[in-house]
Amino acid sequence: MISRKQIRPFQAELLCASLVFVVTLLLYGWTLAPTVTLTDSGELIVVANGLGVAHPPGFPLWIILAHLASLAPLGNVAVRINFASAFFAALASAMLTLAVAELMIAASYLATPKRRGKRAQRSKTAASYGAWGEREDDSGLGRLLVLAPAIGAGLLMGFSRTLWSYATIAEVYTLNTLLIILIFFLMLRWRRGIIANRRRVGAPAEGWQGTSVAHDVFLYAAALVFGLALGVHHVTVALTLPALAVIVYRTEGLRFFKSRRLIYAALISAGALVAIYAYLPFAAAHAPIINWGDPRSLQEIWWHVTGRQYQVFLSFTPGIMGEQSLEFFRMLVREFGLPWLPLALAFAFAGFASAFKRDRTTFWFLVCVIIADLAYAFSYEIAEDKDAYYLPAFFAIAIAAGFGIRWLIQLPVSKPMLIGRHSLIAAIAVLLLVTIEITGNWPFNNRRHYFIAHDYVENLFSAIELGGLILTSDWQVASPMLYAQEVEQRRRDVKVVDINLLRRSWYFDYLGRAYPGLIERSRDKIDAFVANLKEWERDPRAFAISEALTRRISAAFEEMIRSMVTNENRVGPVYVTKDVLFSGEQGRELSTWLTQSYQLVPRGLVFNLATDRSFHDSPDVGLQTRGLADGTLRFEKDDVVNLKVLPVYTTMLTNRGRYLAAFNQHERAVALFKQALALDPELAAARQGLAESTAKLPGR
């Protein structure tokens, strides 16, 4: 029978985890983005809202849970799914609190004095230790050594730059983090139970060959969660296997890997994996709004789950890996607060040293998490959400910082002190870490007034006349526009075509449903290209080694685009975003053809393709620029706003000013150059245009 005394430790741990959950959820809720954001947010919201298929690997578990969140009668659909991210992140922080508590208790068990040889003497020694791992007369200190590091690590993770940033938008990474930490917690709980049993009978805590199946419910629960977690972001989940193997080996030895228990766990994971990915063909069969890859056959499902289209981004060249490693260390310095005061990293360093001395299992477990994560992330070239791939490494460092807090509390143990002195040390350490972290990360993660994507879409729409076609290669345009049109049902008359997605056959099914007239008007060229495209999708290697096949599919692609532009210009205006004209070598032929065939008339954030060379006058579009340069939001230099969105505003304002100046509209040109400089005071082209137009104003 379990006594109240045995229950209390877990109740205290649960209370601490609940505290971390509430505090972080309140913070995330306060800083939550009020609408759609950039990058994948628009696409993911549309997919979740309509139970569709997202970009590889599909994220079926996230879609199902986000869809349930979208049904809540609170705010707009984007806010509901944004809040789901906040909820998952807060749970992840709470779960990390519980996981660290398990590690602290296990470390306390391992730190007990060595038993002598006699069984009775072992039992007597073991009985004198309480559920906190410390002697009963030191239960207050034992409790502090468990709970203070747990709370500190949980809050440190909760307020970290990366987790907090994804907790305020619609993304898959907070759920992914929650599930990985839940797997770790269950495995650590399994380990701690086995160690506790061995301590009761006086056996060695680790490496003993006794039977430990009584706690396997936690092992099998971890296996179930592992299989389900593969239905979110399977690569980062699979990368935890070396760390999990360390826990198993250090707890049960090699014999476990030859046992039926491993087979049972593997079968549970495989069953959960198959069950969750069965969503993909089921969703595809119902023709959702977004049916990325149309994964119905086993081959298409395999291609989608394995992210076949993204494998070109994997590179193992030393140069790329060197750049990625420098990027990681730059992110790491800012991850837990002020870059010039990396106190959390100092605690983590002390924690690693402490774990190496006192709990080698934890040390190697954390090292494996970090090494496996970085080995993959360093070889994967991706821009907008690269920091998310480092989340396992970041929470391993947060766990190490928890050990650093424990080390700090234990420093004065050799001196006679009251428990209150230890508590004060713990409180100061946790508060200092959290204060530094919030101070450093708040300006960048407070998205309470984040209307960047919303305004971007509205500014684009405001320049497009009724029934217009807009061609773009910018996902920051296409993704939030999907949300605006498909969820909020705004400007359904505008035909938005993502040129990059035209290289995927499933996208033509979407275009056929969304803009049937566009497809019909260019049916012959579209069918010819799609036939080539499907041939390429079946065997891309054949095209890679055949110059003739490559020329054929490239020519078919160019002819299709030209047909779309020419035919749509007969029924309504056609627009392109600046990236179509300045897309480098890949889009050079299209850019050249557009420039030679049409006058590019800057209007708002797009170019209108005019069929003549005369002056096309229209009212200047009033651009909403909330958060771009008014000080309400802050962005790092590598943020997508600074890299991709802001340059569109400044470039198009400058282009519009130049266009007006070319037709002697200097007063209007001056106003536009000033707007561009207000967003970027260092913009040389706008400065030059302003000087030239100002000199030509009447009376100068």
Side-chain angles (χ1 to χ4, degrees):
M1 183 175 177
I2 299 175
S3 68
R4 291 178 61 192
K5 196 170 194 178
Q6 290 173 308
I7 295 175
R8 284 174 189 163
F10 181 71
Q11 289 176 334
E13 295 162 32
L14 199 59
L15 183 63
C16 291
S18 300
L19 174 66
V20 170
F21 172 78
V22 170
V23 169
T24 52
L25 187 62
L26 287 174
L27 181 76
Y28 299 153
W30 182 259
T31 57
L32 197 72
T35 183
V36 67
T37 57
L38 297 169
T39 314
D40 296 333
S41 173
E43 175 228 341
L44 290 173
I45 294 172
V46 173
V47 169
N49 188 60
L51 287 176
V53 179
H55 63 273
F59 320 113
L61 181 60
W62 182 88
I63 291 170
I64 294 169
L65 296 177
H67 177 73
L68 295 176
S70 74
L71 303 177
L74 298 170
N76 58 51
V77 175
V79 165
R80 298 168 195 172
I81 298 179
N82 291 348
F83 188 78
S85 294
F87 182 77
F88 297 144
L91 271 182
S93 302
M95 196 56 60
L96 189 76
T97 303
L98 292 176
V100 173
E102 293 295 332
L103 286 170
M104 295 300 117
I105 295 173
S108 296
Y109 290 162
L110 297 173
T112 56
K114 294 181 179 180
R115 279 81 167 176
R116 300 180 182 238
K118 294 181 180 180
R119 178 64 176 258
Q121 194 167 9
R122 285 178 176 175
S123 300
K124 182 179 178 181
T125 304
S128 69
Y129 285 81
W132 295 100
E134 298 292 326
R135 288 187 181 275
E136 295 298 343
D137 55 0
D138 289 332
S139 59
L141 178 59
R143 187 177 296 110
L144 184 65
L145 288 171
V146 170
L147 300 183
I151 293 175
L155 292 177
L156 199 63
M157 190 63 205
F159 300 149
S160 64
R161 177 73 64 91
T162 303
L163 186 67
W164 185 356
S165 70
Y166 288 108
T168 59
I169 64 174
E171 256 296 358
V172 303
Y173 299 115
T174 60
L175 176 61
N176 191 63
T177 302
L178 166 62
L179 294 173
I180 291 175
I181 296 175
L182 177 57
I183 294 166
F184 288 164
F185 164 72
L186 291 169
M187 290 300 295
L188 294 172
R189 181 65 185 84
W190 171 76
R191 171 188 178 238
R192 198 252 289 185
I194 292 173
I195 292 174
N197 276 352
R198 291 171 181 170
R199 193 189 65 166
R200 292 190 190 100
V201 299
E206 295 182 294
W208 190 55
Q209 300 297 308
T211 302
S212 304
V213 296
H215 297 278
D216 281 357
V217 63
F218 295 105
L219 173 71
Y220 298 138
L224 177 64
V225 176
F226 186 90
L228 293 174
L230 291 172
V232 183
H233 201 269
H234 57 67
V235 173
T236 51
V237 174
L239 289 171
T240 65
L241 283 173
L244 296 175
V246 167
I247 295 175
V248 172
Y249 172 72
R250 296 281 295 180
T251 304
E252 290 283 71
L254 285 175
R255 67 189 180 91
F256 178 88
F257 297 96
K258 304 175 184 178
S259 69
R260 292 183 180 180
R261 297 155 74 194
L262 177 61
I263 297 174
Y264 296 154
L267 289 174
I268 291 171
S269 290
L273 172 65
V274 171
I276 197 61
Y277 272 106
Y279 167 86
L280 295 182
F282 175 80
H286 289 78
I289 294 172
I290 297 182
N291 184 20
W292 201 301
D294 193 18
R296 302 190 193 199
S297 70
L298 287 176
Q299 185 180 55
E300 288 166 337
I301 293 170
W302 176 251
W303 287 349
H304 199 76
V305 172
T306 57
R308 183 169 176 253
Q309 73 178 68
Y310 298 134
Q311 290 173 10
V312 296
F313 296 114
L314 286 172
S315 174
F316 299 97
T317 58
I320 294 296
M321 297 186 73
E323 292 175 7
Q324 300 287 11
S325 62
L326 289 175
E327 181 185 44
F328 167 72
F329 287 114
R330 180 177 54 80
M331 290 182 179
L332 177 60
V333 170
R334 76 186 190 198
E335 180 67 14
F336 299 104
L338 302 168
W340 49 269
L341 189 58
L343 188 61
L345 299 183
F347 270 90
F349 181 81
F352 276 116
S354 177
F356 183 78
K357 292 179 180 179
R358 298 171 179 268
D359 187 355
R360 292 287 175 87
T361 299
T362 296
F363 175 81
W364 290 116
F365 160 68
L366 295 178
V367 167
C368 283
V369 170
I370 294 172
I371 290 177
D373 182 42
L374 297 187
Y376 174 74
F378 285 177
S379 60
Y380 190 46
E381 291 185 79
I382 193 168
E384 284 84 6
D385 53 359
K386 186 57 182 277
D387 54 349
Y389 287 77
Y390 297 130
L391 274 167
F394 291 152
F395 68 64
I397 291 169
I399 292 173
F403 270 83
I405 294 172
R406 179 186 177 92
W407 165 81
L408 181 66
I409 297 170
Q410 288 179 312
L411 277 182
V413 165
S414 59
K415 300 178 182 179
M417 292 178 118
L418 297 174
I419 186 63
R421 299 284 293 276
H422 294 285
S423 301
L424 181 61
I425 292 171
I428 291 174
V430 172
L431 287 174
L432 191 58
L433 286 172
V434 169
T435 300
I436 292 172
E437 194 171 26
I438 293 178
T439 301
N441 293 338
W442 176 278
F444 299 97
N445 286 341
N446 181 13
R447 293 192 170 98
R448 186 174 178 81
H449 302 290
Y450 192 105
F451 294 96
I452 302 292
H454 176 274
D455 290 348
Y456 199 20
V457 170
E458 287 302 307
N459 290 331
L460 288 159
F461 281 157
S462 66
I464 300 172
E465 296 178 16
L466 189 67
L469 165 68
I470 176 171
L471 292 174
T472 183
S473 296
D474 188 356
W475 188 234
Q476 312 309 323
V477 173
S479 179
M481 274 193 167
L482 275 171
Y483 171 77
Q485 290 189 312
E486 300 294 349
V487 177
E488 295 192 342
Q489 297 293 303
R490 290 187 286 120
R491 291 301 305 269
R492 296 282 295 172
D493 63 286
V494 177
K495 293 163 284 189
V496 184
V497 175
D498 186 323
I499 293 177
N500 288 328
L501 291 184
L502 287 175
R503 296 178 172 88
R504 310 292 171 191
S505 62
W506 67 267
Y507 187 56
F508 290 90
D509 294 330
Y510 168 76
L511 294 177
R513 291 192 302 270
Y515 320 119
L518 180 148
I519 298 297
E520 287 304 318
R521 284 186 285 273
S522 299
R523 171 65 68 182
D524 56 338
K525 300 299 183 183
I526 290 174
D527 287 347
F529 171 69
V530 170
N532 280 278
L533 181 59
K534 289 185 175 179
E535 186 179 341
W536 174 82
E537 288 177 338
R538 286 191 296 269
D539 189 7
R541 185 172 299 178
F543 283 76
I545 63 177
S546 172
E547 187 176 342
L549 288 176
T550 300
R551 282 200 306 267
R552 190 184 74 186
I553 194 172
S554 298
F557 182 77
E558 293 295 333
E559 289 177 10
M560 177 186 66
I561 297 291
R562 294 182 186 187
S563 175
M564 284 184 178
V565 172
T566 303
N567 292 332
E568 293 310 302
N569 228 333
R570 296 191 183 112
V571 298
V574 177
Y575 307 86
V576 296
T577 52
K578 85 175 189 67
D579 54 277
V580 175
L581 302 174
F582 308 103
S583 55
E585 196 65 35
Q586 187 177 30
R588 185 179 299 279
E589 288 189 20
L590 176 60
S591 175
T592 301
W593 177 76
L594 289 172
T595 304
Q596 293 174 349
S597 304
Y598 298 94
Q599 180 190 182
L600 305 178
V601 181
R603 185 177 181 187
L605 300 181
V606 293
F607 290 98
N608 176 221
L609 304 183
T611 55
D612 58 57
R613 301 291 171 174
S614 62
F615 175 57
H616 287 256
D617 196 9
S618 61
D620 295 323
V621 176
L623 299 178
Q624 276 273 23
T625 58
R626 289 179 291 179
L628 280 177
D630 57 12
T632 58
L633 299 171
R634 286 183 61 186
F635 307 100
E636 294 282 2
K637 290 182 179 180
D638 59 352
D639 191 280
V640 68
V641 173
N642 283 328
L643 292 178
K644 295 188 175 182
V645 177
L646 185 59
V648 172
Y649 280 82
T650 55
T651 301
M652 292 308 299
L653 285 168
T654 303
N655 284 331
R656 177 67 175 171
R658 285 173 169 173
Y659 178 78
L660 292 174
F663 289 94
N664 295 316
Q665 302 284 315
H666 294 291
E667 187 173 348
R668 293 167 64 187
V670 165
L672 290 163
F673 290 135
K674 287 182 177 179
Q675 288 183 51
L677 290 170
L679 295 174
D680 183 2
E682 304 301 321
L683 192 62
R687 285 185 174 277
Q688 181 181 352
L690 177 61
E692 292 174 354
S693 288
T694 301
K696 295 177 182 179
L697 288 175
R700 297 299 294 257

